[in-house]
Amino acid sequence: MKRIFSGVQPTGNLHLGNYLGAIRNFARLQDDYECIYCVVDMHAITVWQDPAALKANTREVTATFLAAGVDPAKHIIFNQSQVPAHAELAWIFNCVARLGWLNRMTQFKEKAGKHRENASAGLYVYPVLMAADILLYKATHVPVGEDQKQHLELTRDVAQKFNNDFGREVFPIVEPLIFGEATRVMSLRDGSKKMSKSDPSDYSRITMTDGPDEIAQKIRKAKTDPLPLPETVEGFDGRPEAANLITIYAALADITPEAVLGEYGGQQFSDFKKALTDMAVEKLGPVGQEMQRLMADPAHVDGILKDGAERAEALARPILAEIYDVVGFLNVR
Ligand code: AMP
Ligand code: TRP
């Protein structure tokens, strides 16, 4: 069966974009693929993380995978730091990836901002560790939100260069799986910015643990324009906030934006926002509640991560041994 790998950083404020763009899809793929879902704690520390918060957030992401419906008996859920082969392969790939490739990464430029000199070296080689995550298992498919497309292209470049350099088809060329209506959910405060964990405004995002009151308040305050809802999707042009709210509704309801406009096109945003609130509470409420239930039992969550790490390690070790052999490392034990 084809193998999937994907990861989510335990950096807190897990939001609607993470859920609709990635985590909900993780659960939907599990009948057709062998899936490995990773809480990428080593990626998280490329920017400062409070150690206690990092541990809590690792459990929270795990709980979200489970609450979204990923079955840990059939598939693997683990945290990256517990399988050292990720770091070991990343070193080899640091010697394959070219500085020119990394210099083009837009996420590094965004995250490093003006103070590039002060960014960690880890942030710079972040995409190399991501390539190692995926290729350590020879995964063929990677479900992610749209913002990860460039990183996956780098993964393909690393795989191709490695195969070329050593004259062996060691790695598959991975395919991104970017699907659903909400591959790029935008901020509720600014339709030109993506919804993000690090936005200083809590009103910019709906988080997975928001209750009905918080969801209602955030949607009520969400930015719109004074016009009624457009009649067709062509009317999204120049109206990013309207497009975003309608797309979110479509994704939550599992229908197309055209179908949403069939029902609400031409109506006032105040009415539509009430419908969107009801839809969000109906779809996210049960996931949030299941997360809270799971997080109240950290020993259970840790047990799932431990079991997952052991199974991931068992898959990774022989592949890493093969890679070492190809590179010319003398495997003496
Ligand atoms: P991160 O929080 O950066 O670890 O992202 C975890 C997953 O959520 C990745 O697959 C991202 O592409 C996806 N994601 C993050 N933000 C958004 C967003 N605003 N819309 C859709 N997907 C997103
Ligand atoms: N970079 C991804 C993000 O921020 C997280 C990630 C790390 C990942 N390793 C991965 C995603 C491997 C897919 C596959 O969203």
Side-chain angles (χ1 to χ4, degrees), residues 12 17 37 78 83 89 115 117 124 146 155 169 183 186 236 269 272 279 292 302 306 315:
Y37 294 130
F78 75 107
V83 179
L89 182 55
H115 306 288
E117 301 293 311
Y124 189 65
E146 189 151 306
T155 298
E169 289 304 301
T183 56
M186 308 308 279
F236 285 178
F269 264 101
F272 176 69
M279 183 59 72
Q292 306 283 11
D302 293 3
K306 177 171 187 285
L315 294 176

Side-chain angles (χ1 to χ4, degrees), residues 54-67:
L54 182 60
K55 289 180 188 176
N57 289 331
T58 298
R59 292 187 178 119
E60 180 177 312
V61 174
T62 309
T64 314
F65 290 172
L66 295 168

Side-chain angles (χ1 to χ4, degrees), residues 15-78:
H15 54 70
L16 188 63
N18 297 129
Y19 181 65
L20 295 177
I23 300 172
R24 188 176 69 168
N25 290 347
F26 293 1
R28 293 181 171 187
L29 291 161
Q30 59 185 337
D31 291 336
D32 300 319
Y33 296 85
E34 173 191 2
C35 304
I36 305 171
Y37 294 130
C38 186
V39 187
V40 289
D41 47 9
M42 289 158 63
H43 278 105
I45 63 162
T46 55
V47 299
W48 169 253
Q49 301 298 320
D50 172 74
L54 182 60
K55 289 180 188 176
N57 289 331
T58 298
R59 292 187 178 119
E60 180 177 312
V61 174
T62 309
T64 314
F65 290 172
L66 295 168
V70 176
D71 180 352
K74 292 208 186 92
H75 302 280
I76 293 177
I77 298 176
F78 75 107

